[in-house]
Amino acid sequence: MTDVTSESFADQAQSAMRGVADQASDMWDSASDQGQRYYRQGSQALGNMDGATLGGLFAAGALGFAIAWLIFGQSSASREVARGMSRSSERYR
């Protein structure tokens, strides 16, 4: 009786693993198809842009980088602020 039960359990486990593998394969195929669609759409969108639009995007990116550098680029000053905050929080422990 134990052999029949263990075989039944093994068959169920094997069947479940096959189902999981099939689902994973289907999900991978779906994700791959979706990624290919996004890539094609992005390529078409970039191909349809004119020079002024690309120049504007580049300028906006450069401006964003410059602002971020101004805010976060002062590493020595920000370290001092972080140390001060750390010291003040240690007083209340």
Side-chain angles (χ1 to χ4, degrees):
M1 177 104 177
T2 308
D3 291 335
V4 173
T5 306
S6 62
E7 285 178 23
S8 173
F9 181 72
D11 290 341
Q12 288 176 353
Q14 198 173 30
S15 176
M17 289 304 294
R18 267 191 233 111
V20 168
D22 289 343
Q23 281 183 330
S25 177
D26 291 344
M27 289 175 68
W28 176 258
D29 291 342
S30 176
S32 176
D33 291 344
Q34 190 68 30
Q36 289 175 358
R37 277 195 295 275
Y38 286 152
Y39 178 78
R40 277 194 306 273
Q41 289 173 351
S43 295
Q44 289 174 351
L46 286 176
N48 293 336
M49 283 189 192
D50 59 352
T53 305
L54 265 143
L57 287 173
F58 180 76
L63 180 63
F65 179 80
I67 291 171
W69 184 80
L70 286 173
I71 293 171
F72 299 109
Q74 309 297 328
S75 61
S76 62
S78 63
R79 284 189 197 130
E80 287 300 318
V81 170
R83 283 190 199 123
M85 291 173 69
S86 178
R87 277 181 282 197
S88 68
S89 67
E90 287 176 0
R91 288 185 226 153
Y92 299 107
R93 289 187 183 182

